């Protein structure tokens, strides 16, 4: 079974930080572009950050640039998202996703593997 499983979500106060993890099983993330998306109620799914499968080049959405950092650990078959200075508008379900190739993209239809999501709520 090919799986991506997110963890690390929860309730955090504005200005706080969370670190999300995404563990892959049944397949290797090596050589694959991987990304984080989020979806808030009533909104479309938004691409937040992606990292390529070869040179590990990263890209970020303007909404999170300077606050979020994507990283990968191929040895542990995992993906991470460090989220700092969180805002209420960051509240959403966060998903990790992987492509079958190494070319990073913010387009959700280019990603083949998805986790079930982890809830992040930023509230005082």
């Amino acid at each position: 079974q090919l799986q991506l499983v997110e963890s690390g979500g929860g309730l955090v106060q504005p200005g706080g930080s969370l670190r999300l993890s995404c563990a892959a099983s049944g397949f290797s993330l090596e050589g694959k572009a991987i990304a984080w998306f989020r979806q808030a109620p009533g909104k479309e799914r938004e691409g937040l950050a992606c990292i390529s499968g070869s040179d590990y080049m990263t890209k970020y959405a303007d909404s999170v640039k300077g606050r979020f950092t994507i990283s990968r650990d191929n040895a542990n078959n995992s993906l991470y998202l460090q989220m700092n200075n969180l805002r209420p508008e960051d509240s959403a379900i966060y998903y990790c996703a992987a492509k079958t190739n190494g070319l990073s993209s913010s387009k959700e239809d280019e990603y083949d593997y998805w986790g079930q999501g982890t809830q992040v709520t930023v509230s005082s």
Side-chain angles (χ1 to χ4, degrees):
Q1 185 82 6
L2 305 180
Q3 288 188 312
L4 292 170
V5 180
E6 302 94 340
S7 63
L11 176 65
V12 63
Q13 292 184 310
S17 298
L18 284 174
R19 183 174 174 84
L20 305 183
S21 298
C22 174
S25 62
F27 71 105
S28 175
L29 294 178
E30 184 178 357
K32 297 180 174 65
I34 42 182
W36 288 95
F37 293 79
R38 70 185 179 191
Q39 188 165 24
K43 296 184 178 180
E44 295 183 352
R45 189 167 295 182
E46 176 188 17
L48 303 177
C50 58
I51 183 166
S52 64
S54 57
D55 60 5
Y56 307 142
M57 182 181 300
T58 59
K59 293 183 178 180
Y60 297 91
D62 288 342
S63 59
V64 304
K65 190 174 297 182
R67 299 188 298 122
F68 291 11
T69 302
I70 188 172
S71 61
R72 64 189 298 160
D73 185 346
N74 287 348
N76 290 314
N77 217 24
S78 298
L79 173 70
Y80 304 96
L81 185 69
Q82 178 66 46
M83 305 186 295
N84 297 326
N85 194 23
L86 285 161
R87 306 164 180 168
E89 54 263 41
D90 293 320
S91 297
I93 300 175
Y94 283 69
Y95 301 88
C96 61
K99 298 179 70 178
T100 55
N101 61 47
L103 304 177
S104 62
S105 172
S106 62
K107 300 177 180 178
E108 62 182 277
D109 60 359
E110 295 186 10
Y111 287 82
D112 300 291
Y113 308 107
W114 291 84
Q116 295 300 307
T118 185
Q119 178 71 51
V120 172
T121 302
V122 184
S123 176
S124 60

